[in-house]
Amino acid sequence: MRGLFWRRSARRERHRRVPPASARSEEGPGDEETPAAPDSEQPPPRRRRLRFPFGPRTVAGEVFVLQVTVIVLLMIAVVVAFVLHARWDSNRQAKQESLAVAETFAQAPDVVAALDRPNPTAVLQPRAEAVRKATDVSYVVVWKPNGIRVAAPDPDLIGKHVIGPFKDIVEAAREGRSSNRIFKATTGETMVSVAPVTRADGSLAGLVSTGVPISQVNEGVKNQLPVLLMSSAGALVLASGSSALVSRRLRRQTHGLGPEEMTRMYEHHDAVLHAVREGVLILDDAGRLVLVNQEARRLLELPEKVEGRRVDEVGLGAGMAALLASGRTASDEVHLAKGRLLSVNVRSTRGGEGPPGRVATLRDSTELHALEGRAEGARERLRLLYEAGVRVGTTLDVVRTAEELTEVAVPRFAEFATVELLDPVLRGEEPSAARTDMRRTAMSGVRDDAPLLPVGEVVRTVETVPGEAAEESGQAVLLTDLREAHDWLAHHPEHGRQALEYGIRSLISTPLRARGVVLGTVDFWRTEDSEPYGEEDLAFAEELTARAAVSIDNARRYTRENAMAVTLQRSLLPRGLPQQDALEVASRYRPTRAGVGGDWFDVIPLPGARVALVVGDVVGHGLHAAATMGRLRTAVLNFSSLDLAPEELLAHLDELVDRIDQDQTAEGNGAIVTGATCLYAVYDSVSGRCTMARAGHPGPALVLPDGTVEYPDVPVGLPLGLGGAPFETAELRLPRDSQLVLFTDGLVEDRERDIDDGLALLHQALTGHPGRSPEDTCRAVLDTLLTTEPSDDVALLAARARLLDPDRVAQWDVPADSGAVAPLRAQVSRKLSEWGLEGESFTTELILSELVTNAIRYGSEPIRVRLLYQSCLTCEVADGSSTSPHLRRAAATEEGGRGLFLVAQLAERWGTRYTPHGKVMWTEQNLHSEATGPTEDTDSLLDQWDEPL
């Protein structure tokens, strides 16, 4: 554009100098041109001309000289680079050749054996000379780690130390590394490579040194220099010709303009420069002003004669002067100067020609900056609203949602923000029409020493006044200046005075309203350090509070529903573990983030020193999962009272789940049980056997007494409710003090962890702790696998096996003869005396007499009696019949039917369980009773029913 401007101006000037033919014919030789009369009396001021130190021909000459100089320098640089590269390439090639020969010789198969012989020179000297002659190396030297040569080109050097420091080379060789160095020898610089000779065990047997003269490699480079120099000379001639052509083209482009034409052209350029509405400053490389146009003088209020002065001497602002003097490039930087906001651009003036310096342009952006400030404020509010939509309501917790609201507002909208909620809202209840106290729920601020009530306090101070007004009117309240809010100060003068002394000046109070119900209020506070709130801020506060109110109301409703579900679930889970002697049990339950799940566990004491362990899982969360879990747990308790085998119990449970699904489907709500699983295990402390079956549930982990862990192979059945396949039972023998760990899938599997990884972590947490108690086991497992809040609820049972002492077990086989009852009573009496239970002898004899007599009369052989001495005394009578007697009240004239009633009155518990070969009648007697003999009630019973046994 600049060249085009010059050419057009030059053409106009040539047309002005040549008058038309008619004008030339009328002029005489002595006539003088008379100038036209000006329009005004005062002539226009003459603008200062710009003088440049060179003309177009000077420019062309300098371009020619510069191009030739650059080409010559480039040629010199190419030659130097070529020589340096050749030097580097020579060193690299010498290094590769010498190192290859040294390593090849060192890795030869017989070199190690030769070095370990008494006379290695005899073998290695001829070989080294042969290698030297066959390759380009100047020598091959073999030497021991102590520096003694065993092979060298000069035989006189054999047996002598190598020259120079070699300790570093030997240390590197012991580590299996080769070495390369350049030495100055008589033949010139030589690249020396040393390779280690190592034995099979890695020890250092010797070293091999080879050398290659670098001058030998440089011979090829010298032959290429003439070609390079000739090519450079040709390039110089070609460049000189091209430079001449460029200079000629430059003269042709200037159209042969002389100094006068160029001066007039620059005058036109000067007029345009002062007419633009942007300030222009031109500075030299020393920071002195070279040119200042009129707009720049106006914007910066500069005096008339400032050219030649430094920028820091003309009264500019510190920021503007530092920018212009720094020499750096700037784009649209805003600086304050003389009360104006100026947008400054700084660029270098050196563009391929011309003197060094910088040009700066100035544009007044005061009004634009104000508009941009308002637009940026609107954008900031939109960003804050978007951020509030993302950050507020991330959890379904009322208190946390209120805290998130205050955290979003501070400090971008307020210095302090408080949230007060009605007490029913905090409990998850619906706010009533009656007025209730509001409690401060959340507070955030830029400082912690604000004179505001802390969290948890009932807000009955001055802050409540705007809130009450907002609650009554349903509108937000704006108090721009609290010092002028007399009603606000009149309610609580003391608190108002403290707030004003602290510096709080402005307040917006908005109601938290959702579904037409006021949940509380939100107060936004600003101090005297910030601008007071305005109408735009009020609209923004209403929008922000309205969005947060929906999240708080959702959290309130969830709190109510979750509290109901948690109450139901906790009521269905066992409150504590029952007392029993077969296992030492510890349990843990961890709810999910949702608070309510379907995982459950139970420990059920069974007769005969046995106990049942149950772990189950109903997939899903909420009231439906908790209610279904309660029904399944109740069903397992009922089925276990029948003393069913594990596979039979799971079959009944499967039918129950299928019936529940049918009922749900008939109702049409579609809430069927999907993914219900269960594991049921029965442990017998007399035999140490544990039988278990599972329906789609993870198998248990077994911790042996030595601390090793294994996962027993328990056949897995289909989940409950699917039906169609029988369940299989696995039987394990638990050694004394071994632990059985039962768990739900939430412990080992979640969205971020695969079940195999979870089982590996569980194995790691259980391994290596043989003497750990079940409580410690549960604690260690949860600490290892549940580092964060679980995504699914978790149930965990850890049970350490106990074995009943064989001395506390007594067993007799009884023939099917009524005469065998009396000898049996005598044997039982003696055994009880051995156990120190003489006080229980009479009651036990009565119970066993009745049970054995019934087995002889109504059962079948074999008949077997067993006594178990634990915290209670257990009596068992087994026979081969599956017919079970039933308790009934006998009539006054009946002779039978009173014996079983007597057993029920004397025993703490009694019942019947069925076995594959018959049944077992059992009773349990409490040994903690203070009675030591037959009571009066027993005597009265015997007097009332005199039934022969």
Side-chain angles (χ1 to χ4, degrees):
M1 292 295 295
R2 184 176 178 181
L4 180 60
F5 179 80
W6 286 353
R7 289 193 296 270
R8 292 177 178 176
S9 300
R11 293 192 187 100
R12 287 196 298 267
E13 290 298 322
R14 284 199 300 268
H15 286 297
R16 292 193 185 100
R17 291 201 316 267
V18 181
S22 59
R24 289 197 302 268
S25 60
E26 294 175 0
E27 293 179 356
D31 294 339
E32 295 182 357
E33 184 179 355
T34 303
D39 296 336
S40 59
E41 297 181 358
Q42 297 295 334
R46 182 178 181 85
R47 297 187 183 272
R48 182 178 56 87
R49 295 183 178 182
L50 297 179
R51 298 297 182 180
F52 285 80
F54 48 79
R57 295 180 181 84
T58 305
V59 171
E62 288 184 354
V63 168
F64 177 80
V65 174
L66 179 61
Q67 289 179 344
V68 174
T69 303
V70 169
I71 293 172
V72 172
L73 293 177
L74 288 176
M75 292 172 55
I76 296 174
V78 169
V79 173
V80 172
F82 177 82
V83 173
L84 292 178
H85 178 73
R87 172 71 177 181
W88 173 82
D89 188 70
S90 301
N91 294 341
R92 183 178 61 85
Q93 185 175 356
K95 176 181 177 181
Q96 292 177 351
E97 292 177 0
S98 61
L99 184 59
V101 175
E103 289 182 348
T104 303
F105 191 94
Q107 295 174 3
D110 298 335
V111 174
V112 176
L115 286 172
D116 292 336
R117 292 179 181 175
N119 187 14
T121 304
V123 178
L124 298 178
Q125 176 67 14
R127 184 175 297 181
E129 287 300 307
V131 170
R132 181 181 64 82
K133 295 177 180 180
T135 59
D136 294 334
V137 299
S138 61
Y139 64 86
V140 177
V141 178
V142 183
W143 44 292
K144 291 294 189 67
N146 57 4
I148 302 299
R149 298 185 182 92
V150 298
D154 188 359
D156 295 335
L157 298 178
I158 297 175
K160 297 182 180 180
H161 277 274
V162 296
I163 301 174
F166 62 94
K167 290 185 179 181
D168 295 340
I169 298 176
V170 173
E171 290 298 327
R174 293 185 188 278
E175 296 176 1
R177 295 183 287 108
S178 300
S179 302
N180 298 95
R181 294 188 179 182
I182 297 177
F183 289 93
K184 291 185 178 180
T186 56
T187 59
E189 291 186 347
T190 302
M191 177 63 70
V192 178
S193 298
V194 181
V197 181
T198 57
R199 300 184 181 91
D201 59 353
S203 60
L204 183 64
L207 300 95
V208 177
S209 302
T210 60
V212 175
I214 298 178
S215 59
Q216 178 180 339
V217 184
N218 291 336
E219 292 297 328
V221 179
K222 297 179 181 179
N223 299 329
Q224 300 178 10
L225 286 177
V227 178
L228 177 63
L229 294 176
M230 293 180 63
S231 301
S232 302
L236 178 61
V237 173
L238 181 62
S240 300
S242 62
S243 299
L245 294 176
V246 170
S247 300
R248 182 179 178 183
R249 180 179 179 84
L250 181 60
R251 294 190 185 94
R252 185 170 60 253
Q253 288 179 348
T254 59
H255 300 283
L257 294 178
E260 184 179 355
E261 290 82 359
M262 293 295 294
T263 301
R264 187 169 298 175
M265 180 184 66
Y266 282 122
E267 288 180 351
H268 293 169
H269 182 269
D270 190 22
V272 174
L273 180 66
H274 290 284
V276 296
R277 298 301 299 171
E278 283 192 1
V280 179
L281 300 174
I282 298 179
L283 302 93
D284 59 11
D285 56 348
R288 290 185 297 269
L289 292 173
V290 177
L291 174 64
V292 180
N293 71 343
Q294 295 298 329
E295 183 66 14
R297 295 178 189 274
R298 184 185 69 83
L299 295 176
L300 299 177
E301 299 181 4
L302 297 176
E304 286 296 328
K305 298 181 179 180
V306 294
E307 288 80 359
R309 299 174 60 183
R310 296 181 57 86
V311 292
D312 53 359
E313 299 174 354
V314 294
L316 298 179
M320 177 73 74
L323 172 62
L324 297 178
S326 64
R328 63 183 178 88
T329 301
S331 297
D332 292 329
E333 289 192 12
V334 178
H335 291 269
L336 181 63
K338 304 300 181 180
R340 297 183 179 90
L341 290 175
L342 302 180
S343 178
V344 183
N345 292 272
V346 181
R347 293 291 185 274
S348 175
T349 59
R350 183 183 292 275
E353 62 186 48
R358 296 178 301 279
V359 58
T361 60
L362 312 176
R363 185 173 64 254
D364 192 354
S365 60
T366 304
E367 296 181 359
L368 179 61
H369 185 76
L371 294 175
E372 289 179 353
R374 288 194 291 271
E376 181 61 27
R379 286 194 294 268
E380 176 64 21
R381 290 189 177 91
L382 289 176
R383 285 194 294 266
L384 188 56
L385 285 176
Y386 171 77
E387 185 176 344
V390 175
R391 293 178 53 186
V392 178
T394 58
T395 64
L396 292 174
D397 182 78
V398 174
V399 176
R400 181 56 192 156
T401 304
E403 292 174 350
E404 291 172 344
L405 173 58
T406 59
E407 292 171 358
V408 168
V410 176
R412 296 164 63 181
F413 182 68
E415 274 84 359
F416 301 96
T418 59
V419 176
E420 293 83 38
L421 297 177
L422 299 172
D423 282 340
V425 175
L426 294 173
R427 297 191 298 268
E429 302 173 2
E430 186 81 16
S432 60
R435 183 183 300 278
T436 59
D437 293 332
M438 286 186 293
R439 191 175 302 274
R440 178 144 293 167
T441 308
M443 180 173 65
S444 296
V446 294
R447 296 185 297 274
D448 298 331
D449 56 346
L452 302 175
L453 286 179
V455 173
E457 293 291 332
V458 175
V459 178
R460 295 184 181 275
T461 55
V462 67
E463 300 97 281
T464 61
V465 175
E468 291 174 358
E471 184 179 349
E472 294 173 356
S473 63
Q475 301 294 328
V477 174
L478 169 64
L479 299 177
T480 304
D481 191 349
L482 292 177
R483 293 172 296 184
E484 300 177 359
H486 303 293
D487 294 338
W488 179 81
L489 291 171
H491 282 79
H492 295 286
E494 182 64 23
H495 291 283
R497 182 183 59 81
Q498 293 178 1
L500 294 178
E501 291 178 354
Y502 186 79
I504 295 177
R505 291 292 182 269
S506 187
L507 167 66
I508 292 179
S509 183
T510 57
L512 280 167
R513 182 182 295 274
R515 299 180 295 105
V517 178
V518 175
L519 308 177
T521 59
V522 183
D523 297 332
F524 303 101
W525 311 81
R526 280 185 181 176
T527 64
E528 57 189 357
D529 298 332
S530 303
E531 294 183 2
Y533 286 116
E535 294 296 332
E536 295 181 357
D537 298 319
L538 180 63
F540 172 78
E542 290 177 336
E543 178 66 21
L544 178 62
T545 305
R547 296 190 180 191
V550 176
S551 299
I552 291 178
D553 186 59
N554 291 337
R556 178 196 62 80
R557 301 174 67 180
Y558 170 78
T559 300
R560 179 187 60 187
E561 297 177 1
N562 186 63
M564 295 169 52
V566 169
T567 302
L568 173 63
Q569 183 195 35
R570 297 301 170 86
S571 65
L572 296 175
L573 287 174
R575 299 296 180 88
L577 299 179
Q579 188 69 28
Q580 44 83 31
D581 300 325
L583 293 170
E584 180 185 356
V585 184
S587 64
R588 293 289 188 277
Y589 176 78
R590 290 291 182 270
T592 180
R593 299 188 184 99
V596 178
D599 288 14
W600 55 282
F601 63 91
D602 216 336
V603 179
I604 308 171
L606 299 177
R610 298 174 305 134
V611 65
L613 301 176
V614 191
V615 175
D617 183 9
V618 177
V619 175
H621 302 92
L623 289 174
H624 175 67
T628 304
M629 176 269 291
R631 299 177 68 176
L632 295 182
R633 178 171 177 260
T634 303
V636 171
L637 288 173
N638 293 332
F639 292 148
S640 64
S641 64
L642 301 176
D643 219 335
L644 299 177
E647 69 276 10
E648 296 179 6
L649 186 141
L650 290 181
H652 287 292
L653 205 62
D654 181 68
E655 294 178 1
L656 174 63
V657 173
D658 183 62
R659 193 177 306 117
I660 293 174
D661 289 344
Q662 293 177 5
D663 295 342
Q664 297 290 347
T665 304
E667 293 178 2
N669 54 13
I672 63 175
V673 181
T674 57
T677 63
C678 182
L679 186 148
Y680 185 81
V682 177
Y683 173 68
D684 188 351
S685 63
V686 177
S687 62
R689 291 194 300 269
C690 180
T691 57
M692 63 181 67
R694 56 178 177 145
H697 200 83
L702 179 60
V703 184
L704 298 177
D706 59 354
T708 59
V709 180
E710 61 183 29
Y711 293 102
D713 186 11
V714 180
V716 59
L718 295 176
L720 300 176
L722 298 182
F727 298 99
E728 300 182 29
T729 302
E731 183 173 308
L732 307 176
R733 183 172 294 276
L734 303 184
R736 185 188 299 272
D737 293 331
S738 62
Q739 291 193 38
L740 192 66
V741 180
L742 285 69
F743 52 88
T744 56
D745 58 351
L747 179 68
V748 295
E749 183 181 18
D750 57 20
R751 298 184 183 92
E752 300 177 357
R753 181 172 59 199
D754 187 72
I755 187 171
D756 294 333
D757 298 334
L759 291 176
L761 286 176
L762 178 62
H763 189 280
Q764 177 183 350
L766 296 175
T767 303
H769 301 279
R772 191 160 56 184
S773 66
E775 283 288 340
D776 294 336
T777 298
C778 291
R779 188 179 303 109
V781 168
L782 293 184
D783 291 343
T784 302
L785 279 82
L786 298 184
T787 56
T788 59
E789 188 177 10
S791 59
D792 191 9
D793 48 345
V794 175
L796 175 65
L797 272 180
R800 182 159 61 185
R802 296 171 177 169
L803 289 178
L804 187 60
D805 192 347
D807 294 338
R808 295 200 171 195
V809 180
Q811 184 171 316
W812 300 274
D813 291 331
V814 181
D817 185 4
S818 59
V821 177
L824 176 64
R825 288 201 300 265
Q827 293 176 358
V828 169
S829 179
R830 287 193 298 271
K831 178 57 71 174
L832 292 178
S833 298
E834 293 178 6
W835 290 343
L837 302 176
E838 292 86 353
E840 302 293 332
S841 178
F842 180 76
T843 305
T844 305
E845 290 179 14
L846 288 178
I847 293 174
L848 285 177
S849 296
E850 174 60 29
L851 297 180
V852 172
T853 301
N854 285 340
I856 292 174
R857 288 182 179 179
Y858 308 110
S860 60
E861 293 184 325
I863 301 174
R864 182 169 297 169
V865 176
R866 188 172 70 162
L867 293 180
L868 304 177
Y869 176 26
Q870 304 178 94
S871 59
C872 63
L873 181 62
T874 303
C875 302
E876 295 182 349
V877 177
D879 65 84
S881 174
S882 59
T883 302
S884 174
H886 297 279
L887 179 66
R888 65 185 180 88
R889 181 172 292 277
T893 59
E894 289 182 341
E895 297 182 358
R898 298 176 179 87
L900 195 57
F901 181 78
L902 179 63
V903 171
Q905 296 298 318
L906 295 177
E908 185 77 18
R909 296 172 59 213
W910 72 279
T912 305
R913 73 173 184 268
Y914 296 92
T915 65
H917 307 290
K919 67 178 181 299
V920 176
M921 294 290 298
W922 57 271
T923 64
E924 290 183 356
Q925 298 169 241
N926 188 5
L927 299 180
H928 300 287
S929 176
E930 296 180 357
T932 57
T935 63
E936 294 181 358
D937 294 337
T938 304
D939 294 338
S940 63
L941 287 172
L942 293 175
D943 293 340
Q944 184 177 0
W945 289 302
D946 188 11
E947 182 179 353
L949 298 176

